[in-house]
């Protein structure tokens, strides 16, 4: 057992160093950069745009993904299996492929996009396209943990609600949804982080324009064309935001699990 | 702890003994796989130093031309060429951060000069030049026939101001102010819907018919294989002729072959290939 303890300690240290150094190097580099870069117009615009689009995408994902996750947890039909396969495919798809796929469907000459164009709607190069790209890639990251959350609920609790005359919707809202609270939160954070980090599909489908479609990852890449320092500063801000969100998530889920312990 | 105790209990009672062989097989496979990756990792850190090969970092706009150049060079001299393409500035950053290469070819004097100043390159030579053109999708949805049509509300894509082609685009538009009146460039720039990360980023948006027009090098228009229409700018590219520079990196371990490659690029044979891809002879 001692040998195994040594192995996992060493592995832990190697991984920690491997992750720690690149991240800390960005922050150290950013500190050396002139602070004026942080307040530059396009950096601020990118931070704002990223926070807004990632949040809107997560809300859309929450609204569409919650019923979907419940459905997948409770049904095993050909349709649910097909959906499952699609979600899995989406998850392993490289973002650049997702971007091409979105263009092929919703682009100006895309299979669906050409009909939208008839109504004067063109999605590429709009903020809406950013949200679509983020929603597309982040959806499975919400649905998978939330589905697992619903699957692990003791179904006798739902059954008890039904026997007491509660409707299916009422049961879902009052029993199932609160019980899957932690999974929902975990899924939301996962998809939000994925949306914040989205790059490939966004630059392909939505383009790269300051204030409209240039989110933080795109700003990092664009800044790299101008100055390495600037890219470092934007990257450091992105790391900081992700860090704060993770800490907040940790705090909330800890509080939640305490509460559910009391309930149980 | 509870899990461990349970597992041990199960183990002793023989409940999971039948799984043991199966788990052992997986562990063995994992360990063997891990051991196999070690030589791969170490070799991955040290490639490109072979005597008979050179690494060429070249501007994104040179992609097709340098692929053919490398191919012909390999056939002639039996020296392997490993070309890598990106924006000239990205490549310069890579070199400054320790990327190993033998030759650097830049679409702009600025980055070459910066590398020479920092000692990464000894000397460079201008080997070709390019021309800025306007491209529209083959179907030309916005019906653009001249650069003045960019005054209309069209979807225009130009390159990021950090890459040479982006700098040239803005310079050319400013030059055109003298023909079309002050404010022309501002009016055109207000129709930009996306910044291309590099010249290929601009071209892709036009080829895919998402943008109505974009400014690229004439060489890139050639590589689009008829998927775009080329509209020449007045005054031969707005009076802007980007020169391309090539030089050997001081860190190169194969300067002899690197020089051979540069000589090949400068030779009539090399110039013919460059011309084929829309580059003009350096005057």
């Amino acid at each position: 057992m001692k040998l195994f303890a040594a192995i996992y300690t060493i592995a832990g240290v190697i991984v920690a160093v491997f992750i720690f150094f690149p991240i800390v190097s960005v922050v150290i580099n950013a500190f050396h950069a002139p602070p004026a870069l942080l307040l530059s117009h396009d950096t601020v615009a990118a931070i704002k745009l990223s926070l807004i689009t990632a949040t809107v995408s997560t809300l859309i994902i929450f609204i569409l993904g919650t019923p979907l996750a419940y459905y997948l947890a409770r049904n095993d039909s050909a349709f649910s299996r097909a959906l499952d396969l699609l979600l899995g495919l989406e998850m392993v798809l490289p973002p650049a492929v997702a971007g091409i796929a979105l263009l092929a469907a919703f682009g100006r000459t895309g299979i669906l996009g050409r009909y939208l164009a008839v109504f004067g709607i063109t999605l590429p190069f709009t903020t809406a396209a950013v949200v679509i790209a983020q929603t597309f890639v982040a959806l499975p990251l919400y649905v998978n943990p939330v589905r697992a959350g619903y699957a692990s609920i003791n179904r006798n609790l739902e059954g008890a609600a039904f026997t007491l005359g509660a409707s299916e919707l009422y049961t879902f809202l009052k029993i199932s949804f609160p019980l899957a609270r932690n999974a929902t939160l975990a899924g939301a954070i996962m998809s939000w982080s994925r949306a914040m980090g989205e790059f490939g599909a966004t630059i392909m489908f939505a383009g790269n324009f300051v204030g409209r479609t240039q989110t933080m990852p795109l700003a990092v890449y664009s800044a790299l064309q101008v100055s390495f320092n600037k890219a470092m500063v934007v990257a450091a801000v992105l790391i900081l935001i992700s860090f704060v969100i993770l800490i907040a998530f940790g705090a909330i889920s800890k509080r939640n699990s305490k509460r559910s312990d009391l309930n149980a | 702890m509870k899990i461990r105790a349970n597992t041990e209990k199960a183990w002793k009672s023989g409940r999971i003994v039948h799984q043991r062989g199966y788990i052992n097989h997986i562990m063995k496979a994992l360990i063997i796989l891990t051991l196999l990756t070690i030589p791969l990792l170490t070799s991955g850190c040290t490639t490109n130093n072979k005597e008979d090969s050179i690494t060429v970092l070249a501007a994104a706009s040179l992609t097709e031309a340098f692929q053919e150049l490398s191919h012909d060079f390999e056939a002639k001299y039996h020296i392997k060429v490993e070309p890598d393409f990106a924006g000239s500035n990205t490549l310069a950053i890579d070199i400054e951060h320790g990327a190993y290469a033998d030759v650097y070819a830049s679409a702009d004097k600025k980055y070459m000069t910066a590398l020479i100043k920092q000692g990464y390159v000894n000397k460079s030579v201008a080997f070709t030049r390019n021309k800025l053109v306007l491209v529209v999708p083959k179907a030309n949805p916005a019906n653009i026939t001249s650069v003045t049509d960019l005054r209309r509300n069209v979807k225009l894509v130009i390159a990021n101001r950090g890459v040479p082609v982006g700098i040239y685009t803005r310079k050319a538009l400013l030059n055109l102010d003298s023909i079309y009146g002050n404010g022309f460039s501002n009016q055109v720039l207000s129709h930009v819907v996306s910044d291309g990360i590099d010249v290929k980023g601009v071209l892709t948006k036009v080829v895919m018919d998402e943008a109505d027009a974009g400014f690229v090098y004439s060489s890139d228009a050639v590589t689009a294989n008829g998927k775009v229409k080329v509209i020449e700018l007045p005054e031969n590219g707005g009076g802007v002729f980007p020169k391309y520079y090539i030089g050997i990196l001081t860190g190169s371990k194969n300067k002899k072959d690197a020089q051979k490659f540069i000589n090949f690029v400068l030779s009539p044979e090399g110039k013919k290939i460059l011309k084929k891809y829309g580059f003009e002879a350096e005057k």
Side-chain angles (χ1 to χ4, degrees):
Chain A
M1 237 21 192
K2 268 215 178 105
L3 175 67
F4 185 55
I7 290 174
Y8 66 66
T9 310
I10 290 168
V13 169
I14 290 173
V15 169
V17 168
F18 180 59
I19 301 173
F20 179 79
F21 273 103
I23 289 177
V24 168
S25 306
V26 168
V27 177
I28 289 173
N29 262 302
F31 269 116
H32 288 301
L37 287 176
L38 177 61
L39 303 168
S40 78
H41 150 74
D42 44 349
T43 309
V44 175
I47 295 171
K48 247 203 250 168
L49 186 75
S50 267
L51 289 174
I52 292 171
T53 52
T55 308
V56 171
S57 303
T58 307
L59 278 175
I60 294 172
I61 290 169
F62 171 73
I63 292 166
L64 293 175
T66 308
L68 176 65
Y70 186 78
Y71 170 78
L72 289 175
R74 290 285 177 269
N75 293 280
D76 186 26
S77 62
F79 180 59
S80 76
R81 274 193 295 265
L83 266 176
D84 197 33
L85 199 65
L86 272 177
L87 283 168
L89 189 63
E90 218 191 339
M91 192 123 116
V92 297
L93 225 52
V97 176
I100 293 227
L102 285 171
L103 270 181
F106 302 112
R108 176 152 85 165
T109 53
I111 288 171
L112 300 169
R114 71 182 76 150
Y115 300 107
L116 291 175
V118 174
F119 300 104
I121 304 169
T122 46
L123 288 170
F125 308 124
T126 62
T127 307
V130 178
V131 172
I132 291 173
Q134 291 177 351
T135 305
F136 188 84
V137 297
L139 188 69
L141 282 136
Y142 175 81
V143 173
N144 284 336
V146 178
R147 188 226 326 237
Y150 285 118
S152 68
I153 290 174
N154 184 347
R155 295 192 67 177
N156 289 337
L157 293 170
E158 286 173 358
F162 291 145
T163 56
L164 293 170
S167 73
E168 241 180 303
L169 181 65
Y170 187 84
T171 309
F172 173 77
L173 291 176
K174 289 285 175 186
I175 308 289
S176 320
F177 183 71
L179 282 172
R181 190 176 45 201
N182 273 341
T184 305
L185 196 65
I189 295 290
M190 293 270 275
S191 58
W192 192 85
S193 320
R194 180 67 188 83
M196 277 296 279
E198 215 308 304
F199 175 79
T202 308
I203 200 162
M204 282 239 168
F205 183 52
N208 178 35
F209 194 78
V210 174
R212 203 185 303 148
T213 61
Q214 191 181 86
T215 53
M216 289 187 74
L218 271 66
V220 172
Y221 200 63
S222 299
L224 200 57
Q225 314 294 316
V226 184
S227 95
F228 195 67
N229 271 342
K230 192 171 174 189
M232 282 292 173
V233 170
V234 187
V237 174
L238 197 52
I239 289 175
L240 195 73
I241 291 176
S242 313
F243 190 64
V244 169
I245 292 298
L246 279 177
I247 298 280
F249 170 59
I252 294 172
S253 58
K254 209 173 185 182
R255 211 186 61 196
N256 268 352
S257 58
K258 256 188 204 155
R259 220 193 285 157
S260 29
D261 284 349
L262 289 177
N263 288 348
Chain B
M1 279 331 258
K2 203 175 157 194
I3 293 171
R4 202 176 124 189
N6 283 342
T7 318
E8 271 171 14
K9 217 161 79 191
W11 190 281
K12 275 176 196 147
S13 70
R15 257 192 292 146
I16 53 177
V17 163
H18 65 282
Q19 286 180 3
R20 215 177 146 186
Y22 168 70
I23 289 169
N24 268 347
H25 278 309
I26 294 181
M27 285 309 289
K28 259 185 213 155
L30 274 176
I31 289 168
I32 290 168
L33 272 177
T34 315
L35 290 176
L36 281 177
T37 34
I38 292 170
L40 278 180
L41 280 174
T42 46
S43 70
C45 301
T46 52
T47 46
N48 304 343
N49 289 352
K50 278 168 274 153
E51 281 286 301
D52 53 347
S53 95
I54 52 169
T55 304
V56 176
L57 301 182
S61 49
L62 292 168
T63 307
E64 288 77 8
F66 265 45
Q67 270 166 354
E68 187 167 335
L69 272 168
S70 306
H71 180 263
D72 287 11
F73 179 78
E74 278 180 13
K76 195 167 172 182
Y77 295 101
H78 304 289
I79 299 164
K80 196 164 164 38
V81 182
E82 286 168 358
D84 196 5
F85 305 98
S88 306
N89 52 317
T90 307
L91 294 174
I93 289 175
D94 285 348
I95 292 167
E96 284 165 12
H97 286 85
Y100 178 82
D102 301 288
V103 176
Y104 171 58
S106 169
D108 190 280
K109 196 174 182 179
K110 191 171 114 189
Y111 301 106
M112 188 57 94
T113 313
L115 286 183
I116 290 175
K117 250 187 210 157
Q118 295 174 78
Y120 291 107
V121 178
N122 265 338
K123 64 180 170 72
S124 71
V125 53
F127 67 99
T128 193
R129 66 174 203 176
N130 218 331
K131 189 167 72 180
L132 203 66
V133 293
L134 186 66
V135 286
V136 298
K138 201 177 167 202
N140 200 356
N143 198 18
I144 294 166
T145 54
S146 132
V147 69
T148 53
D149 287 327
L150 298 181
R151 282 195 178 119
R152 285 191 275 121
N153 190 17
V154 297
K155 287 184 164 58
L156 178 66
V157 180
I158 64 172
N160 187 287
R161 65 174 72 246
V163 282
V165 64
I167 299 167
Y168 293 134
T169 303
R170 286 162 179 86
K171 214 189 262 176
L173 284 171
L174 279 176
N175 289 348
L176 293 178
D177 275 356
S178 63
I179 307 176
Y180 302 119
N182 279 338
F184 174 76
S185 56
N186 277 334
Q187 200 179 358
V188 170
L189 287 175
S190 73
H191 297 142
V192 173
V193 291
S194 184
D195 266 4
I197 289 296
D198 55 26
V199 67
K200 298 290 177 196
V202 176
L203 188 69
T204 315
K205 295 279 186 226
V206 179
V207 166
M208 289 175 101
D209 210 354
E210 295 303 332
D212 294 326
F215 284 102
V216 298
Y217 296 126
S218 63
S219 60
D220 296 289
V222 171
T223 65
N225 277 332
K227 288 198 178 97
V228 296
K229 266 186 204 153
V230 175
I231 295 166
E232 297 279 341
L233 302 186
E235 282 190 45
N236 220 352
V240 180
F241 297 104
K243 279 188 188 176
Y244 284 62
Y245 289 80
I246 194 165
I248 301 174
L249 294 174
T250 43
S252 165
K253 289 178 184 157
N254 193 356
K255 293 198 175 69
K256 202 179 78 206
D257 290 340
Q259 187 59 52
K260 258 191 205 159
F261 181 78
I262 293 179
N263 292 344
F264 183 71
V265 171
L266 293 168
S267 72
E269 225 176 322
K271 284 199 169 116
K272 208 173 122 196
I273 293 170
L274 284 165
K275 198 173 172 211
K276 181 176 152 193
Y277 288 99
F279 292 94
E280 301 189 356
E282 161 57 14
K283 281 167 200 158

